[in-house]
Amino acid sequence: MKQLTQKEEEIMERVWEHGPMQVRELQALYPEPQPHVNTLATLVKILEEKGFLGHKALTARCFQYFARISREDYRGGSLANVVNKFFGHSYMSAVSALVKSEKISLDDLKELIRKVESSSAAATNS
């Protein structure tokens, strides 16, 4: 999955939060000083080229943009990229690094294991 720049992520967060919109509607969601509409239009076009946004024509020159990928799918793909790039495709190595650097406690890890086991058992029983 392609990665997003900070500005592209800001746009995607607004689209995920508010749903399909036109570029001017997107601009209105920014605090002052708002980015120029042409700047946003360029970023939206890049997001379309990357496959994150799609559009439908409202009129001949007016488009409404919508997310083609969910926030959850993006997060999952981003996590996979980090694990693949920095931990040799090993989620175990990634979790181990979090524990070693004390970013996640052993108690948190045990709770996570309990949740995964519970959801796995529920899926098996369905």
Side-chain angles (χ1 to χ4, degrees):
M1 172 181 299
K2 295 179 180 178
Q3 293 301 296
L4 299 177
T5 66
Q6 181 181 350
K7 296 293 185 191
E8 292 167 349
E9 275 191 29
E10 288 174 8
I11 290 171
M12 289 305 300
E13 286 295 336
R14 284 170 171 84
V15 173
W16 287 322
E17 175 93 16
H18 299 279
M21 68 184 79
Q22 299 170 38
V23 174
R24 290 229 180 252
E25 293 170 318
L26 174 65
Q27 182 188 36
L29 296 174
Y30 280 85
E32 293 293 338
Q34 293 176 327
H36 194 276
V37 70
N38 291 345
T39 302
L40 291 175
T42 298
L43 289 167
V44 163
K45 191 70 173 161
I46 290 168
L47 286 165
E48 266 197 295
E49 290 168 1
K50 288 183 173 183
F52 286 91
L53 291 178
H55 76 269
K56 70 176 184 176
L58 300 177
T59 64
R61 294 178 36 149
C62 184
F63 301 100
Q64 184 179 58
Y65 296 90
F66 58 89
R68 296 188 71 191
I69 184 171
S70 71
R71 179 185 278 142
E72 293 74 25
D73 287 344
Y74 176 68
R75 285 181 182 160
S78 295
L79 178 59
N81 284 338
V82 168
V83 170
N84 294 342
K85 184 175 181 177
F86 297 107
F87 299 99
H89 303 273
S90 171
Y91 282 86
M92 183 67 80
S93 294
V95 172
S96 178
L98 290 171
V99 171
K100 285 179 186 173
S101 67
E102 299 178 0
K103 300 293 185 201
I104 185 171
S105 71
L106 287 176
D107 288 339
D108 289 343
L109 186 56
K110 288 175 186 175
E111 178 64 21
L112 179 60
I113 291 168
R114 279 192 290 277
K115 286 180 180 180
V116 169
E117 288 174 342
S118 294
S119 66
S120 183
T124 303
N125 294 332
S126 298

